[in-house]
Each structure stands twice: as C-alpha cells, then as structure tokens.
Amino acid sequence: MIKTGRAGLGRRAGHDLTIEATRWSGEAVVDVGDPDRSSVNVTVETGSLEVREGTGGLKALTDADRAEIKRTLEDMALLHTAEHPTITFSSTSITGTPQSFEITGELTIKGLTHPASVHGKGNNAGPLRGWATVTQSTWGIKPYTAFLGALRLADDVRVEFEVARLEPADRPGSPPRTGQT
C-alpha cells in the first residue's frame, strides 16, 4: 500500500490517498541465525496501482476521481508506466530480528536506482509489517499539483506492507516438500 499526504494552501480540497499495488511478486529468504544471508527482492507492476481510499477533502472521492488519479499516475510526469512497467527493490543488507528489523537496499523507480531503507516489526502470533518513506523527487517524480500549485501531493509517500505467512525453505539434504506453497 502507498499512502500519500497533501501540502500547500489548498490541501483541504484534496484527499489523502491509499493506493494498492494489485500485481506484484517477491521473495524473502530469512536466515534468523545469520541475517547477513537473508535477502528480499520485490517487483511491482506500475500499471497495477489502484486507488483504494481517499480521506479528507471537500467532497467524497468518486469512481471518476479514481480513474483520473490512475491516468495521472501512469503519465510521463509521474510513473510513466508505458516506459517503466515495474518498480523493483533488492536488499543489500538486513539487520535485526523478526521482531524488529531494517532492510536496506536498492529501489528502482522510472529507471533510477537509489538506496532505500525498510523498517519492520513482527511477532510469533501475527504477520510481519513494515514501512518505508519514499521521497518522490529523488526518483525524478514531480509530485502532483493542482490549482496553480495551491494543492500538491507531499513529496514523501509512505509505503506499507504486510507478510501474512513465511514458509520454510527446503534445505540441502532434506526431503523435498510437497503440496501447495
């Protein structure tokens, strides 16, 4: 999920958005005994971003508003999805424990790669949850503006994730797992 905020004198007119990546893939290799051997790789299809919620604003977010926001996201000024169909993250290091961890890595958006840090928490009874702050302008994205700049999207967006289940990987010498994964 991507969470946006508003800035500028006209911020009361706009909405704080929750945008979901509906098509993505990822792999996490977690070695609790040796976090240096852990890794995370995620790919998000940029054309799969869908507006799920809009809070605040002077009026409720309509389906037409959602469609217009999707077109704006896909435009050259923002994600330019025709030329850049994916966003990728590849970890370079992971520190901490499953209860509190930090993943640093390389985030590629619009063909530009910069370092990014992901923070997370988990417990034995529930999912792993995490978040990162992405500054759009770092990746050449000009935050959306309206009303001659009086309403604008904040440059920082928050990316949140939840991993519902981790499955043990096959280890060398162990019998192969069967069934669904």
Side-chain angles (χ1 to χ4, degrees):
M1 296 291 192
I2 301 163
K3 307 239 176 171
T4 70
R6 301 162 283 163
L9 296 173
R11 68 181 163 269
R12 292 186 60 226
H15 298 90
D16 293 326
L17 301 174
T18 299
I19 300 170
E20 179 181 6
T22 62
R23 290 187 311 274
W24 61 275
S25 63
E27 179 182 65
V29 176
V30 180
D31 188 332
V32 176
D34 186 3
D36 286 338
R37 293 180 38 161
S38 299
S39 64
V40 174
N41 292 291
V42 176
T43 300
V44 174
E45 293 182 33
T46 55
S48 78
L49 300 178
E50 298 289 340
V51 178
R52 294 299 183 216
E53 183 179 35
T55 59
L58 297 176
K59 62 181 183 80
L61 197 64
T62 66
D63 288 341
D65 293 333
R66 285 181 173 81
E68 179 62 28
I69 292 166
K70 183 165 180 67
R71 281 191 296 277
T72 301
L73 282 168
E74 293 173 350
D75 189 69
M76 289 175 59
L78 291 180
L79 294 176
H80 197 190
T81 61
E83 189 170 316
H84 304 286
T86 61
I87 295 170
T88 61
F89 176 81
S90 295
S91 65
T92 55
S93 74
I94 299 174
T95 57
T97 66
Q99 291 74 34
S100 179
F101 56 89
E102 180 174 278
I103 305 168
T104 56
E106 299 292 324
L107 179 62
T108 302
I109 303 173
K110 288 182 72 174
L112 298 174
T113 302
H114 294 285
S117 294
V118 177
H119 309 277
K121 294 182 185 282
N123 61 48
N124 293 337
L128 292 173
R129 295 171 198 237
W131 64 94
T133 299
V134 175
T135 303
Q136 297 176 84
S137 59
T138 300
W139 282 270
I141 299 169
K142 184 178 188 290
Y144 174 79
T145 62
F147 307 122
L148 302 173
L151 168 63
R152 63 183 184 278
L153 202 65
D155 198 10
D156 287 346
V157 296
R158 182 175 167 104
V159 178
E160 298 177 352
F161 69 89
E162 182 175 291
V163 177
R165 177 182 78 208
L166 294 175
E167 295 185 14
D170 293 329
R171 296 194 184 256
S174 67
R177 293 182 302 152
T178 59
Q180 288 185 307
T181 57

